[in-house]
Amino acid sequence: MNDHDEDATAEQLPVRERRRLQTSRLVQYLLLQALIVAACIFALRQSLPQPPAEYLVATFGLSERGAERAVTLPHFSSLRHAMDDPPRFTAQFNRPAGEAGRAWSVFLPRFTNGVEVAVNGAVILDSRRNPTANRPDRNTPEIAVIPASVLRDGTNTVSIRLFIWGPITGFLDRVWVGPDELLRPSYDLRTLIFVTLPVVFSSWQAILAVILGIMWVMRRHEPAYGVLAAAMAVGVGQAFLQTPMGETPFSRLNVILISSAPIESALVLTFALLFAGWKWQRYGWILFIPGVLLALAGVFGNQAMVRALFLILAVPMVGISLVIMAIVTARSVLKRQNVASLLLGCAVTIMLTCWIADLLSVFQMTPNRIFTARLSYSVMLVAIGAGLTWRFARALNEVDGFAGRLVTQVREAEEKLKASFVREEERARAAALARERTRLMRDLHDGLGGQLVSIVALSERGNGSAGIGDAARAALKDLRLVIDSMDDIGGDLMLALGSWRERAMAQLRPHDIALDWRAGTAQGLPVHPELRPWHVIQIVRLLDEAVTNAVKHANARRITVRIETLAGADGFDRGCITVEDDGKGFEITSDGAAAGAIKAARGLRNMRSRAARCGAELELSSCAQGTDQGTHVRLTLPHRFPDSDGAAG
Amino acid sequence: MNSLSDGPKAEAITVVLVEDDAPTLWRLQDALAKAGYQVRAAGTLTEARACLAQGAPKVLLTDLQLPDGHGVDLIRETRQRFPDTEIMVISILGDEESVISAITVGATGYLLKDAFPTDIAATVRDLVAGHSPISASIARFIVRRTQTTPEPPPGPALNTAKLTPREIDILWGIAKGFSYAEIASHLGLSRQTVPGHIKNIYRKLEVHTRGEAVFEAVQQGLIKL
C-alpha cells in the first residue's frame, strides 16, 4: 500500500517547504478527525425510538441484600457479583378491562447481566438461557409475552431478578409492559441493530479472515496480512463460539474466549504497525502479554478471576492499542497520503470515540449503558476491506500497465532482433558467396586459365597438335579437380585421394609408369572436420605437381605413393603423404630450389607455397646417384588445417 | 593391341557407338577400330535404334545428350531387348548424377570422352571380360545415397537400401582409392570375391528392380502394357 512515487515528489522539495506542507496536512487531518468525533458523539446521543410512554413502568421497589427501597429505572447496581442473592425489582402495572383479547408483553431493552421476569408470581422469562443475552458487551434486548392465564384485569405485579456476574456492575434499563404489538417494533429495531447487525459484521470478518489468509499464504513476505488474518480469525471465533453459563468444562473455553479481546486488539495493533512500515521486533511480544495472562487465568483460575482481570488488562489494552494505532495511522497518512491509511485512521478515531463512551458508561457517567465499541469495530472492518480492494485495483492497474509496456518492449526487441538477424544472415551469405567466388576464380585461374591460354598459343603456332592435346587434357583434368573439390568429403581426405589416384593412374599409363599405392591402414589418413575445398585443391595440386615432375623430368619407371598416420610428439596424429620416384633426381640448391630447369624450379616453389597455405610441412630430397636415386617428396599434414588462406594473401 | 589374343575373338565383338559430336565420334571410333572391335556408329537416337535393329551388339557405348532424345531411353530399351549387351555411358566429366541415372536403367560403367585411346579400348575389353569397373567418385556417390538422409536428394531413386553392409564397405574402400586387393585384405575376403560384389552392386542398382516395379504396377492396374 505504499505510494513510493508520492514519497519521491515529497523528497524533492526543500526541507522547510516540506515541513510546512506536513503541518498543513496534519492540521487538515486533525480537523477531519475532530469532525468525525463530533459526528460520533452526535450519533451516540441519539436515543432509539421507544414504545408509548403510557406503558412505561419506571418506579420499582428494590429489595437488595435484605433491604427494601424505591428506585426509578434506569438503575445502576453497585454490585459486581450477585448470582445467589440477586436484587429483585418489583412494580405494579395496570391492565385496563376489556384488553383480555390482546396479548401483553414485558419488554426489557437493556440489562446486565441476566434477568428473570415473573408476572403475578409466574416466571415468564429467564435471559440466562439465551447465551447471546449473557454477554455484557452485546446490548441484547428481551421481550416476553405474558400468558393470558397469568394476567388479570386491573393491577398486576411484575418482578425482575437481576443476576450480576461481572466484571461490570449490574444495570437495568426502563421496562415496558403493554400490548405486544405496540412493544414489539421497538424490540425488533433493537434486535436488528444489536443482534443481527453484529452477526452480519462477524460474517464479513470471517470472509476477510479467509481473504487475508489466502493473501498471506500467497505473499509470505508481507506478514501484515497474516497478522490481520489471525486477528480476524480470533474475532470470528469470539463472535460465534458461545458456551452456556456455569462451571462446565466448556466454561474454560468461555473464559479463554473472553481473553480473545486483548489478543485481537494486539494483533490488529501489530498489523497497523507493520502496515505503517515497522519491522517486527522481539519486544513486540509485550503487546500479547495481557491476552496471554488472561488466557492463563482462565485455564488455571476461575471465571470470577478472569472477569476481575478483564477490567484491569483487556479494557486498557484495547484503549492503548487504539491510541497507538491512531498515532501510527496519523503518521502514515501524513507521510504517504494514501487512501488506505486515511480510511484506517478515520476508523480508529470512530472506535476510540466509542471506546471512551463505553468506558464512561461502565463508570456510570452516562445515563445509559449501550456499548458501542464492538459495533464500531465493523467500521474498521469496512476500512480494511475498502483499503484492500483499493490496493488490489491499483495493483491490477499497475500490472496491466506493466504488461502493456512489456509487450511493447518485447515486440520492439523482437523486431530489432529479426531485422539484425536478417541483416546478419544476408551479410554472412554474401561473404560466403564472395569467398567461394574468389576461391573458384583463383583455382580456375591457376589451372584452367593457364592451360586454355597455352592451348590458344599452341593453336596459333599451328604446329603443336600434340601439345594442344596435352594442354586440353590437362585443362579438363583441372576442371574435374575443381568440380571434385566442391564435393563434400566430410573431412576425409582419403575420398579426395581416391579420385586423384584414378586420375594419376590414367596420366601415368601412357608413359608406362607404375603407380605403387601403399595405404598403411584401412582408414588411411585422420579425418579433419575443418577441411575445406581449398585445402583439398592445394594438396591434390601439390601431389599432381610431384607426379608431373617425376613424369617430365625424372624419367622415372615407378612412382610410390605412401599414405600413413604418424603419432606426433605432441600426442596428435598427423597424416603423412609421401611421393617417391626412382628417377634420376636433381640437385637442390641451398635455398631449397632445384638447380636444374627453370620450370622445375618454379614447380618446386609452387609446391612449397601450396604446403604453406595448408599449414602442412613439405620435405624435399633428391639424390642423383647411388641406391637412393630419385626424388622424395614428403608432405606432413597439420593437426588442424588453418581457417584462412593466410599465405596466399 | 596384342593383348586382344587373351580375350574373345575380335571379330565377334561388335560395338554400337552413339555420339553426336563428330570429332569425338571419330576419335572413339578410331581407338576402338584400332583395337580390333567392329564399330557401328550412330549420331542420333534414331540412327542408334536402326543399328540395334540389325542385331544385338556385344557393347553399347552411348552419350546421354543426343539431338533427338536422351541416352537413358536408349539404355533402357537396349537392356530390355538385349539383356546380354554390356552398356557404357560416354561422359565429359563423369558427373555422378547422370552416370547414376544411366546405371539405374542398366548401364554398367562409364567412359570419359578425353580418355587415352588405349584406355578406351582397355575399358571396353574389361567390360566384355565381365568386370564392372566402378570409379571412386561413383562409389562415394552411391554410399552417400545409402546413408539415410531425411529427405532423399533429387535424382534417380536408388535401391541402395538393398545393399549389404559388406557391399557398402567395399564401396567405401573404392571411394578411398584402395585397390581390390587392399579391400579384400582389409575385409578378410579373397581377392576374387570383390569384383563379384561389385557386379552385385550394379545388378542391385539396375533394371531388374525397375522391372519388378513395372510388374508391380501392372499387377495393381496402374499401367497397361
Side-chain angles (χ1 to χ4, degrees), chain A residues 503-515 547 551 559, chain B residues 116:
Chain A
R503 285 197 298 273
M505 298 257 283
Q507 183 190 355
L508 295 178
R509 214 174 291 126
H511 301 283
D512 265 344
I513 302 174
L515 181 67
V547 170
V551 173
I559 294 174
Chain B
F116 290 100

Side-chain angles (χ1 to χ4, degrees), chain A residues 545-580:
Chain A
E545 202 92 50
V547 170
T548 304
N549 283 341
V551 173
K552 287 192 178 162
H553 311 295
N555 285 332
R557 303 312 310 154
R558 166 177 287 272
I559 294 174
T560 306
V561 176
R562 196 173 290 126
I563 295 163
E564 305 158 279
T565 299
L566 304 176
D570 50 4
F572 296 119
D573 286 349
R574 282 158 201 269
C576 182
I577 306 167
T578 316
V579 180
E580 292 168 313

